[in-house]
Amino acid sequence: MQAPTIGGVTVPRGDGTTVVRVRRGSSLTDFADRINANPASLVTVLFHLGEMATATQSLDEDTFRLLGAELGYDVQVVSPEDEERELFEQFDIDIDTGIEDEEDANLQPRPPVVTVMGHVDHGKTRLLDAIRNENVVAAEAGGITQHIGAYQVVKEHEGEERPITFIDTPGHEAFTAMRARGAKVTDIAILVVAADDGVMPQTIEALNHAQAADLPIVVAVNKIDVEGANPAKIRQQLTEYNLVAEEYGGDTMFVDVSAKQGTNIDELLDAVLLTADAALDLRANPDKDARGVAIEANLDRGRGATATVLVQSGTLRVGDAIVAGSAHGRVRAMLDEYGTNVAEATPSRPVQVLGLSSVPRAGDTFVVAPDDRTARQIAERREAADRQASLAKARKRISLEDLNEALAAGKVETLNLILKGDVSGSVEALEDALLQIDVGDEVELRIIDRGVGAITLNNINLAMASDAIIIGFNVRAEGQNAEVAEREGVEIRYYSVIYNAIEEIEAALKGMLKPEFEEVELGTAEIREIFRSSKFGNIAGSIVRSGEIRRGARARITRTGVVVAENVEIAGLRRFKDDVTEVREGYECGINLGSFNDLQIGDLIATYEMREKPRD
Ligand code: GDP
């Protein structure tokens, strides 16, 4: 139903109960897609409701509700978690790993899962190594630990053997990335602070991340072997951030350690267990199908896709059908951190799983499905949802080609650039030259970041956050970074000549970037016979060898691989006595090449067209 609405624009209206579901982070354009409206009209409607937004800006729930109420839609903003939950509900699979709905009798204690965080160079990696080396069990088994993304150690604590799981990727970046995807992996954070350096920016950052995730914190005051180390000062500094040591009347355990010399590692593990016991109810039901999170994954040349998963509830067994993110498969084998085969993995146990169809992402949830088919269906649905989400995202980003359109639509006034180059001289030269481009008032060029070296994930994240284009001068984004950029629709343009970069950006700013064309072969035909016609000139009796030959197409004639004519037109095309517009592979036809008459039997006629080339 179309009805005039405020602002003089016409928008299809709902009847007040029409439900429209949009993903969290959607824009007016996404919403417009759903209700078949013009995004620009929605901008106008919203403007009249007192809200300003561009068509591609992501809107919050309140704004969608306001707009929905005006237009007669019940707009429901769905979070990725909701979507996930609904998907699994359809297959009757519960993805909860919590203990709220479990009978007390079914719950068993499970080991705490620990992440080590802190400022760079304060000794996170070294500490993880030291903890691993303390592991008596490993020494007895003679096992050599392998990096699978997590490991378990066993600590004797108050007469009991207590396992503790450590996430083996130090730092809060990985932790935050997983958390951003809704995965709650960690129970306790060890905050490493070097006693000879003190609280640093990333210490605070790590602390904020841990507190935001509601994690109890144990502080490891590291490097106490270094001369001038001052552990008391660290305690003092951290009180400012609400981490008050027990000896000062607070409830945070501080342990002075030396990762290098292996001092007090045991005490640190005790502190982790004490903190866990005091602050957390770490139990899970091991007697059900496993659920958990993928914490690391790789494509291994010999073994195919491998993923380290952390079981959070239930027990994972060899032979289980599982789905992890959009990967699925049957667990062919499970390996622990010593490379030993294990038959089952209980809660808090990390294992490397073999047998998945593809590589899941860190933070993807995994569940055991009743059978292979269900696992595959869920994986496919997830993949489709992912694809849609990334399409929606990709649409939002900017490219040099659509800059002018975006300018005209008032979507951007600024072209944001990130410059990366091989040496600082070239980055500076490029920046200087770019800033001298004179494009008038309507658009501003801003260089929001610059640097030397390959294009990093950080650069790509920044580009995503600020709709920037990345310029790589003699440097590239490699591997996963290139994939992320592609998936997220971040444009990266590569140059090796400064002049070319300047020229293209200037052209883009002036809306004159010329499309590039490439030749696409349409079909080939071989000349079998030549008929002379006084009226038409020569006719090539031919058989179409590949593709199709179309009348009007451009052709190139080759004779034993050597080009004898270029840009000849297929002036006439006949099947028997009939004029036709096209002839397909395997059929014979008569081809008239217009004024070109120098034909021989055996010549190859290849037709092609020029297509606009998507720039890369
Ligand atoms: P990360 O960046 O936090 O992972 O830090 P690393 O574990 O890589 O450690 C940074 C540097 O500090 C390395 O040179 C380590 O050898 C050194 N280091 C780590 N722990 C200690 C320690 O307890 N004592 C001393 N003296 N050096 C340490």
Side-chain angles (χ1 to χ4, degrees), residues 38-53:
N38 177 350
S41 313
L42 294 185
V43 173
T44 312
V45 174
L46 203 56
F47 180 74
H48 281 267
L49 292 172
E51 297 268 344
M52 290 249 266

Side-chain angles (χ1 to χ4, degrees), residues 119-126 222-223 225-226 258-260:
H119 194 71
V120 65
D121 275 348
H122 278 195
K124 298 180 292 294
T125 313
R126 194 74 189 251
N222 191 29
K223 306 201 187 183
D225 60 289
V226 177
S258 164
K260 190 176 174 187

Side-chain angles (χ1 to χ4, degrees), residues 111-113 148-153 164-168 293 295 307-312 316 334-338 342 344-353:
V113 180
I148 64 165
Y151 64 80
Q152 234 175 32
V153 297
I164 308 173
T165 303
F166 283 88
I167 303 293
D168 199 358
V293 178
I295 52 182
T308 299
V309 301
L310 179 75
V311 176
Q312 294 183 304
L316 184 64
M334 294 196 291
L335 304 171
D336 65 11
E337 60 272 34
Y338 307 110
V342 291
E344 50 176 51
T346 49
S348 294
R349 174 79 240 181
V351 276
Q352 194 175 44
V353 168

Side-chain angles (χ1 to χ4, degrees), residues 224-282:
I224 53 162
D225 60 289
V226 177
E227 230 189 80
N230 187 355
K233 190 176 132 209
I234 308 295
R235 286 170 174 70
Q236 183 60 41
Q237 286 181 326
L238 283 174
T239 52
E240 280 176 45
Y241 303 94
N242 284 330
L243 278 188
V244 183
E246 283 188 325
E247 53 268 45
Y248 295 169
D251 55 8
T252 303
M253 298 194 70
F254 280 65
V255 185
D256 295 341
V257 301
S258 164
K260 190 176 174 187
Q261 299 182 343
T263 317
N264 284 349
I265 302 301
D266 239 12
E267 284 70 9
L268 181 64
L269 297 182
D270 276 328
V272 167
L273 291 170
L274 287 168
T275 303
D277 292 346
L280 303 165
D281 180 10
L282 296 180

